[in-house]
Amino acid sequence: MMTVDDIFADDRCNPPTERSLPWEETCGGVTVVVEPKPHWAEDMRAFRIGSREYCRYADWTAYGARSRFYGHIDTSGDDVMMKACAMIAREIADGLWD
């Protein structure tokens, strides 16, 4: 039986544009959680871990910690990761991962 950590590790083997789960990246002392790109989005978003701010992933890959972050009313990197972990845990409990 797979664990939440196993599923996240397996997803990180894919290139960033093909990932379906969020992941952490650090640059210049700033850590973000990258939210995978939904089918309708132009670019992925990178959310700061401890604050409700985000930037475009393209900016993050180009400028790292110097990227311009924008306020987000209800989402931080911690929120993105917690929601993804809860979703995977529910799917494991429902027997969807073997």
Side-chain angles (χ1 to χ4, degrees):
M1 185 161 133
M2 296 183 79
T3 67
V4 173
D5 291 334
D6 294 337
I7 294 167
F8 273 90
D10 188 47
D11 192 60
R12 281 191 300 273
C13 292
N14 297 317
T17 56
E18 296 177 15
R19 294 180 186 171
S20 59
L21 297 171
W23 68 94
E24 290 185 16
E25 289 186 13
T26 301
C27 182
V30 175
T31 302
V32 298
V33 172
V34 181
E35 183 180 51
K37 180 179 170 182
H39 69 281
W40 48 265
E42 179 181 323
D43 190 18
M44 295 181 279
R45 296 183 294 181
F47 288 90
R48 283 189 190 244
I49 284 285
S51 62
R52 299 186 186 290
E53 296 179 322
Y54 76 97
C55 69
R56 292 178 57 238
Y57 185 66
D59 292 341
W60 174 255
T61 57
Y63 306 112
R66 296 185 325 239
S67 298
R68 181 174 180 181
F69 284 83
Y70 302 93
H72 195 282
I73 194 164
D74 62 1
T75 303
S76 70
D78 290 331
D79 298 331
V80 171
M81 287 302 287
M82 287 188 332
K83 287 176 187 175
C85 288
M87 176 192 69
I88 296 297
R90 279 192 308 271
E91 289 178 354
I92 289 171
D94 290 343
L96 301 175
W97 293 92
D98 289 323

